[in-house]
């Protein structure tokens, strides 16, 4: 457990950043020199597992310590409802709390910002303060009311057109410098009042579309016109657009440039904290919520699968009581563990209705990943719960609506018995993974022999894969439950027609 008297927390999410594109993880392009310096003071984890492959359920898990099927903020219901958040617990204990992001899923509308004293979304079209308070309530009411829904849908479409126009140029979606500036202001104010702070930031530069600032583009993608490459993953995924090797190289170069831009901005924030003598006393977490695919498995983006480039994410943690420079290559860490790590560091109990600190989940505890005395056991003594991370991907309605539109425009008919329509769950340990698919055959992989997940070994008798399938079955029995039979139209009706599209249209660019 934490013994330090310092209790400040800086929590950084690098949205859509895959681990193997960070030089601190061995990538051959120097995308993250600042994080390399940070690694000398932190513990770097190789086996971190995200609970889902996209923003909303992952952040809901970070903020509640619950799996997606427990907190319910999924594609099928894009709100975090009835849960006590980490920010609420910290605020109740005297923390100053702030959340800064340009990700449209992280808004008062979805309730992910509940408990934060301050929040800003840095939207180009609709400022964050307009998405809070009475307007957020009114917007939800519009989408849940049959007669008002058409008005809301029209506003969404107009907002989307405006956003796509304004974000189509170079640097149009780069809000990271403003996020860093606001974070510094918040921390300075808290420090001046001797208040402990919890600053949560999400940096969106590595999310499509990629329009990095010129200096980084020239370093990593010289001569590449970011408006000429494919920036819409749905065009590729439905088969309406092909991408050759040269274009993939250009896309990856732009992506790397965005990562380097974020890294430099983190250097600016970290240096400022050091100059204010706040660095040594602050728990600093840096992770990704999910990664991205660039053609692997014939997919682009972070939809329709739960392969490792999406769910085996980077994670680095600096704590005042822990000597830096360590690299943990073998311990499974679930991003849910970070909720407990922050509670442990802060010495804070969860507020009423919140998930209590579990010593088996705190990275600061000697009992981390020892679930023998935990309520999170899988109910089978033969299953070592601590080895496994679990992933859930619910019905991808938002992506499907867009994908179907692109396919229809191109005269393509999608197979409804394909991964595009399938819900998925996975159990993962460092050497093996098992994926349960709803509409296509299950998949099993030996990650130690086949890191690219190319040879499906489900059902072939491999001991590690079979053990992982048993762990997944136990998780499904104890946590996930059965998938209920619901077709797309029922889901969309429950959520107000095209209402689920509005968060994308107000800033979350596919």
């Amino acid at each position: 457990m934490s013994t330090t008297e310092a209790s400040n927390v800086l929590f950084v999410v690098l949205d859509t950043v895959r681990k193997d594109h960070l030089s601190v993880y061995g990538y051959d392009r120097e995308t993250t020199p600042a994080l390399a310096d940070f690694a000398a003071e932190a513990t770097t984890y190789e086996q971190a597992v995200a609970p889902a492959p996209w923003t909303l359920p992952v952040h809901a898990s970070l903020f509640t310590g619950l799996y997606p099927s427990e907190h319910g903020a999924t594609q099928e219901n894009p709100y975090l409802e009835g849960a006590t958040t980490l920010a609420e617990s910290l605020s109740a204990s005297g923390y100053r709390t702030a959340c800064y992001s340009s990700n449209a899923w992280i808004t008062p509308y979805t309730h992910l910002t509940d408990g934060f004293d301050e929040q800003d979304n840095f939207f180009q079209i609709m400022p964050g303060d307009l998405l809070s308070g009475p307007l957020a309530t009114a917007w939800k009411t519009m989408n849940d009311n049959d007669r008002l829904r058409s008005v809301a849908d029209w506003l969404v479409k107009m907002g989307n057109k405006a956003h796509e126009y304004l974000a189509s140029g170079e640097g149009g979606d780069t809000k990271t410098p403003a996020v860093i500036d606001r974070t510094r202001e918040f921390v300075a104010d808290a420090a001046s009042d001797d208040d402990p702070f919890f600053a949560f930031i999400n940096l969106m530069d590595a999310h499509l579309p990629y329009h990095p600032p010129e200096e980084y583009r020239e370093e990593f993608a010289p001569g590449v016109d970011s408006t000429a490459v494919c920036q819409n993953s749905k065009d590729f995924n439905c088969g309406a657009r092909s991408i050759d090797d040269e274009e993939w190289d250009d896309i990856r170069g732009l992506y790397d440039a965005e990562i380097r831009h974020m890294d430099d901005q983190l250097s600016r924030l970290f240096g400022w904290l050091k100059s204010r003598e706040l660095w040594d006393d602050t728990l600093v977490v840096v992770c990704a919520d999910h990664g991205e695919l660039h053609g692997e498995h014939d997919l682009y983006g972070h939809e329709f699968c739960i392969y490792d480039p999406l769910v085996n994410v980077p994670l680095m943690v600096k704590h005042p009581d822990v000597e830096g420079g360590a690299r943990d290559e073998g311990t499974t860490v679930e991003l849910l563990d970070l909720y407990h790590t922050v509670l442990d560091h802060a010495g804070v109990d969860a507020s009423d209705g919140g998930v209590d600190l579990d010593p088996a989940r705190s990275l600061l505890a000697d009992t981390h990943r020892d679930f023998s005395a935990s309520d999170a056991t899988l109910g089978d003594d033969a299953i070592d719960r601590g080895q496994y991370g679990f992933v859930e991907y619910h019905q991808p309605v938002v992506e499907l609506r867009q994908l179907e539109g692109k396919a229809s425009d191109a005269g393509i008919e999608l197979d409804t018995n394909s991964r595009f329509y399938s819900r998925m769950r996975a159990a993962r340990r460092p050497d093996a993974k098992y994926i349960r698919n709803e509409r296509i055959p299950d998949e099993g992989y030996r990650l130690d022999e086949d890191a690219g997940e190319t040879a499906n070994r489900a059902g072939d008798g491999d001991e590690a894969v079979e053990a992982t399938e048993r762990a997944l079955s136990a998780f499904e029995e104890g946590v996930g439950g059965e998938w209920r039979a619901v077709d797309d139209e029922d889901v969309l009706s429950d959520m107000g027609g095209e209402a689920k599209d509005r968060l994308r249209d107000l800033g979350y660019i596919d």
Side-chain angles (χ1 to χ4, degrees), residues 134-461:
L135 183 57
T137 301
W139 190 267
K140 187 176 189 299
T141 300
M142 290 176 71
N143 279 287
D144 291 340
N145 182 287
D146 289 338
R147 287 190 289 182
L148 296 177
R149 187 179 305 149
S150 61
V151 177
D153 290 343
W154 181 84
L155 289 172
V156 161
K157 292 176 182 178
M158 295 304 101
N160 185 48
K161 290 180 181 296
H163 180 90
E164 289 182 352
Y165 174 76
L166 292 175
S168 62
E170 295 178 2
D173 60 341
T174 299
K175 301 304 177 186
T176 292
V179 171
I180 299 301
D181 290 344
R182 184 66 67 83
T183 302
R184 294 189 349 176
E185 293 171 6
F186 163 76
V187 169
D189 287 344
S192 68
D193 293 332
D194 291 325
D195 291 332
F197 63 81
F198 172 44
F200 184 93
I201 63 176
N202 172 292
L203 307 182
M204 278 284 286
D205 300 76
H207 193 289
L208 283 167
Y210 311 138
H211 298 298
E214 183 177 359
E215 64 177 296
Y216 305 101
R217 188 187 67 221
E218 287 307 305
E219 180 178 357
F220 290 93
V224 175
D225 180 355
S226 63
T227 66
V229 301
C230 181
Q231 296 269 22
N232 190 305
S233 62
K234 310 302 185 300
D235 283 334
F236 175 82
N237 289 335
C238 77
R241 172 78 149 79
S242 62
I243 301 176
D244 62 22
D245 290 344
E246 183 178 356
E247 186 174 4
W248 279 125
D249 288 342
D250 291 344
I251 290 169
R252 295 185 191 105
L254 294 169
Y255 179 76
D256 291 344
E258 297 281 26
I259 293 173
R260 180 57 183 269
H261 173 50
M262 288 190 292
D263 185 77
D264 282 353
Q265 290 297 311
L266 284 181
S267 178
R268 186 164 70 90
L269 176 59
F270 293 171
W272 180 84
L273 288 168
K274 292 174 182 177
S275 73
R276 298 294 294 259
E277 298 184 350
L278 294 166
W279 179 255
D280 291 341
D281 295 334
T282 300
L283 167 68
V284 181
V285 176
V286 179
C287 69
D289 55 348
H290 57 81
E292 188 82 328
L293 289 173
H294 291 136
E296 301 91 343
H297 305 280
D298 294 321
L299 291 169
Y300 187 12
H302 49 272
E303 303 101 10
F304 313 123
C305 73
I306 47 179
Y307 294 119
D308 260 18
L310 303 190
V311 301
N312 177 208
V313 294
L315 171 63
M316 307 172 73
V317 179
K318 179 195 81 70
H319 188 269
D321 287 344
V322 179
E323 184 176 355
R327 183 173 289 267
D328 189 324
E329 297 183 353
T331 302
T332 294
V333 179
E334 295 182 278
L335 291 191
L336 277 73
D337 297 353
L338 299 175
Y339 167 94
H340 299 270
T341 302
V342 173
L343 285 181
D344 191 357
H345 165 74
V348 168
D349 294 326
S351 296
D352 290 345
V355 174
D356 292 332
L357 170 65
D358 184 348
R361 287 199 177 276
S362 171
L363 293 169
L364 308 179
D366 293 338
T367 53
H368 179 237
R369 304 304 290 181
D370 178 3
F371 288 97
S372 57
S374 170
D375 291 337
T377 57
L378 291 177
D380 185 339
D381 292 338
I383 298 173
D384 181 358
R385 171 69 180 81
Q387 290 189 63
Y388 296 96
F390 298 97
V391 185
E392 298 183 291
Y393 185 39
H394 287 72
Q395 194 169 38
V397 179
V398 176
E399 283 81 5
L400 269 177
R401 180 170 292 276
Q402 300 163 33
L403 189 78
E404 288 170 339
K406 294 291 185 181
S408 177
D409 290 344
I412 296 170
E413 184 175 351
L414 298 176
D415 181 1
T416 57
N417 288 316
S418 68
R419 67 172 53 258
F420 301 133
Y421 293 83
S422 183
R423 290 178 281 193
M424 303 172 183
R425 291 193 181 109
R428 184 194 186 279
R429 68 186 203 187
D431 64 336
K433 185 175 180 181
Y434 195 92
I435 302 173
R436 183 98 64 214
N437 293 306
E438 183 185 28
R439 300 196 183 191
I440 59 175
D442 289 354
E443 299 167 76
Y445 300 103
R446 281 300 299 264
L447 300 177
D448 53 348
E449 303 170 356
D450 177 26
E453 298 165 285
T454 60
N456 185 359
R457 301 185 66 174
D460 74 355

Side-chain angles (χ1 to χ4, degrees), residues 15-70:
D15 204 293
T16 324
V17 169
R18 52 188 288 169
K19 189 178 75 173
D20 62 359
H21 275 248
L22 305 185
S23 51
V24 70
Y25 278 94
Y27 188 44
D28 59 5
R29 308 181 81 180
E30 194 175 24
T31 53
T32 53
L35 288 182
D37 292 339
F38 177 62
E41 304 179 71
T43 301
T44 302
Y45 295 91
E46 293 278 359
Q47 305 296 337
V49 180
W54 68 289
T55 294
L56 177 67
V58 174
H59 282 74
S61 292
L62 290 173
F63 292 163
T64 66
L66 299 169
Y67 289 102
S69 58
E70 295 176 313

